[in-house]
PDB file of all heavy atoms in Angstrom:
ATOM      1  N   GLU G1125     -18.394  -8.115  32.241  1.00  0.00           N
ATOM      2  CA  GLU G1125     -19.707  -7.639  32.606  1.00  0.00           C
ATOM      3  C   GLU G1125     -19.832  -6.174  32.137  1.00  0.00           C
ATOM      4  O   GLU G1125     -20.895  -5.745  31.767  1.00  0.00           O
ATOM      5  CB  GLU G1125     -19.710  -7.674  34.157  1.00  0.00           C
ATOM      6  CG  GLU G1125     -19.858  -9.190  34.620  1.00  0.00           C
ATOM      7  CD  GLU G1125     -20.094  -9.296  36.133  1.00  0.00           C
ATOM      8  OE1 GLU G1125     -20.196  -8.149  36.724  1.00  0.00           O
ATOM      9  OE2 GLU G1125     -20.093 -10.435  36.608  1.00  0.00           O
ATOM     10  N   SER G1126     -18.708  -5.387  32.284  1.00  0.00           N
ATOM     11  CA  SER G1126     -18.803  -3.946  31.932  1.00  0.00           C
ATOM     12  C   SER G1126     -18.916  -3.781  30.532  1.00  0.00           C
ATOM     13  O   SER G1126     -19.737  -2.866  29.964  1.00  0.00           O
ATOM     14  CB  SER G1126     -17.647  -3.234  32.350  1.00  0.00           C
ATOM     15  OG  SER G1126     -17.529  -1.837  32.029  1.00  0.00           O
ATOM     16  N   VAL G1127     -18.314  -4.594  29.607  1.00  0.00           N
ATOM     17  CA  VAL G1127     -18.313  -4.492  28.196  1.00  0.00           C
ATOM     18  C   VAL G1127     -18.790  -5.888  27.757  1.00  0.00           C
ATOM     19  O   VAL G1127     -17.941  -6.799  27.447  1.00  0.00           O
ATOM     20  CB  VAL G1127     -17.044  -4.180  27.595  1.00  0.00           C
ATOM     21  CG1 VAL G1127     -17.117  -4.079  25.994  1.00  0.00           C
ATOM     22  CG2 VAL G1127     -16.513  -2.875  28.198  1.00  0.00           C
ATOM     23  N   PRO G1128     -20.132  -6.079  27.548  1.00  0.00           N
ATOM     24  CA  PRO G1128     -20.563  -7.554  27.157  1.00  0.00           C
ATOM     25  C   PRO G1128     -19.989  -7.904  25.890  1.00  0.00           C
ATOM     26  O   PRO G1128     -19.856  -9.189  25.666  1.00  0.00           O
ATOM     27  CB  PRO G1128     -22.045  -7.243  26.885  1.00  0.00           C
ATOM     28  CG  PRO G1128     -22.388  -6.139  28.073  1.00  0.00           C
ATOM     29  CD  PRO G1128     -21.134  -5.272  27.833  1.00  0.00           C
ATOM     30  N   GLY G1129     -19.658  -7.176  25.000  1.00  0.00           N
ATOM     31  CA  GLY G1129     -19.010  -7.617  23.587  1.00  0.00           C
ATOM     32  C   GLY G1129     -17.539  -7.773  23.679  1.00  0.00           C
ATOM     33  O   GLY G1129     -16.955  -8.096  22.699  1.00  0.00           O
ATOM     34  N   LEU G1130     -16.926  -7.671  24.852  1.00  0.00           N
ATOM     35  CA  LEU G1130     -15.566  -7.841  24.939  1.00  0.00           C
ATOM     36  C   LEU G1130     -15.176  -9.338  24.461  1.00  0.00           C
ATOM     37  O   LEU G1130     -15.735 -10.281  24.948  1.00  0.00           O
ATOM     38  CB  LEU G1130     -15.138  -7.763  26.401  1.00  0.00           C
ATOM     39  CG  LEU G1130     -13.673  -7.962  26.742  1.00  0.00           C
ATOM     40  CD1 LEU G1130     -12.802  -6.689  26.275  1.00  0.00           C
ATOM     41  CD2 LEU G1130     -13.275  -8.150  28.242  1.00  0.00           C
ATOM     42  N   THR G1131     -14.137  -9.325  23.498  1.00  0.00           N
ATOM     43  CA  THR G1131     -13.641 -10.619  23.052  1.00  0.00           C
ATOM     44  C   THR G1131     -12.397 -11.118  23.897  1.00  0.00           C
ATOM     45  O   THR G1131     -11.586 -10.173  24.054  1.00  0.00           O
ATOM     46  CB  THR G1131     -13.420 -10.593  21.459  1.00  0.00           C
ATOM     47  OG1 THR G1131     -12.381  -9.632  21.178  1.00  0.00           O
ATOM     48  CG2 THR G1131     -14.757 -10.100  20.815  1.00  0.00           C
ATOM     49  N   VAL G1132     -12.228 -12.442  23.809  1.00  0.00           N
ATOM     50  CA  VAL G1132     -10.984 -12.890  24.498  1.00  0.00           C
ATOM     51  C   VAL G1132     -10.424 -14.023  23.689  1.00  0.00           C
ATOM     52  O   VAL G1132     -11.230 -14.910  23.167  1.00  0.00           O
ATOM     53  CB  VAL G1132     -11.326 -13.587  25.956  1.00  0.00           C
ATOM     54  CG1 VAL G1132     -10.011 -14.146  26.523  1.00  0.00           C
ATOM     55  CG2 VAL G1132     -12.064 -12.402  26.793  1.00  0.00           C
ATOM     56  N   HIS G1133      -9.203 -13.879  23.304  1.00  0.00           N
ATOM     57  CA  HIS G1133      -8.525 -14.783  22.468  1.00  0.00           C
ATOM     58  C   HIS G1133      -7.383 -15.468  23.295  1.00  0.00           C
ATOM     59  O   HIS G1133      -6.589 -14.759  23.750  1.00  0.00           O
ATOM     60  CB  HIS G1133      -8.018 -14.337  21.144  1.00  0.00           C
ATOM     61  CG  HIS G1133      -9.013 -13.881  20.187  1.00  0.00           C
ATOM     62  ND1 HIS G1133      -9.745 -12.541  20.290  1.00  0.00           N
ATOM     63  CD2 HIS G1133      -9.594 -14.479  19.161  1.00  0.00           C
ATOM     64  CE1 HIS G1133     -10.644 -12.576  19.272  1.00  0.00           C
ATOM     65  NE2 HIS G1133     -10.551 -13.701  18.588  1.00  0.00           N
ATOM     66  N   THR G1134      -7.320 -16.838  23.292  1.00  0.00           N
ATOM     67  CA  THR G1134      -6.269 -17.419  24.146  1.00  0.00           C
ATOM     68  C   THR G1134      -6.225 -18.919  23.590  1.00  0.00           C
ATOM     69  O   THR G1134      -6.997 -19.478  22.622  1.00  0.00           O
ATOM     70  CB  THR G1134      -6.584 -17.473  25.517  1.00  0.00           C
ATOM     71  OG1 THR G1134      -5.415 -17.914  26.280  1.00  0.00           O
ATOM     72  CG2 THR G1134      -7.905 -18.113  25.914  1.00  0.00           C
ATOM     73  N   HIS G1135      -5.326 -19.735  24.177  1.00  0.00           N
ATOM     74  CA  HIS G1135      -5.112 -21.119  23.843  1.00  0.00           C
ATOM     75  C   HIS G1135      -6.497 -21.902  24.168  1.00  0.00           C
ATOM     76  O   HIS G1135      -7.166 -21.375  25.057  1.00  0.00           O
ATOM     77  CB  HIS G1135      -3.928 -21.715  24.437  1.00  0.00           C
ATOM     78  CG  HIS G1135      -3.636 -23.138  24.147  1.00  0.00           C
ATOM     79  ND1 HIS G1135      -4.153 -24.192  24.885  1.00  0.00           N
ATOM     80  CD2 HIS G1135      -2.867 -23.628  23.157  1.00  0.00           C
ATOM     81  CE1 HIS G1135      -3.729 -25.355  24.282  1.00  0.00           C
ATOM     82  NE2 HIS G1135      -2.897 -24.985  23.139  1.00  0.00           N
ATOM     83  N   ALA G1136      -6.664 -22.965  23.713  1.00  0.00           N
ATOM     84  CA  ALA G1136      -7.795 -23.788  23.832  1.00  0.00           C
ATOM     85  C   ALA G1136      -8.072 -24.229  25.304  1.00  0.00           C
ATOM     86  O   ALA G1136      -9.237 -24.132  25.855  1.00  0.00           O
ATOM     87  CB  ALA G1136      -7.898 -25.122  23.029  1.00  0.00           C
ATOM     88  N   ALA G1137      -7.049 -24.498  26.065  1.00  0.00           N
ATOM     89  CA  ALA G1137      -7.206 -24.925  27.546  1.00  0.00           C
ATOM     90  C   ALA G1137      -7.830 -23.630  28.296  1.00  0.00           C
ATOM     91  O   ALA G1137      -8.962 -23.954  28.981  1.00  0.00           O
ATOM     92  CB  ALA G1137      -5.938 -25.438  28.084  1.00  0.00           C
ATOM     93  N   PRO G1138      -7.284 -22.610  28.373  1.00  0.00           N
ATOM     94  CA  PRO G1138      -7.795 -21.512  29.236  1.00  0.00           C
ATOM     95  C   PRO G1138      -9.117 -21.011  28.555  1.00  0.00           C
ATOM     96  O   PRO G1138      -9.946 -20.402  29.260  1.00  0.00           O
ATOM     97  CB  PRO G1138      -6.639 -20.463  29.133  1.00  0.00           C
ATOM     98  CG  PRO G1138      -5.783 -20.685  28.234  1.00  0.00           C
ATOM     99  CD  PRO G1138      -5.830 -22.289  27.954  1.00  0.00           C
TER     100      PRO G1138
END
Side-chain angles (χ1 to χ4, degrees):
E1125 289 182 8
S1126 177
V1127 182
L1130 180 72
T1131 63
V1132 180
H1133 291 82
T1134 185
H1135 185 270

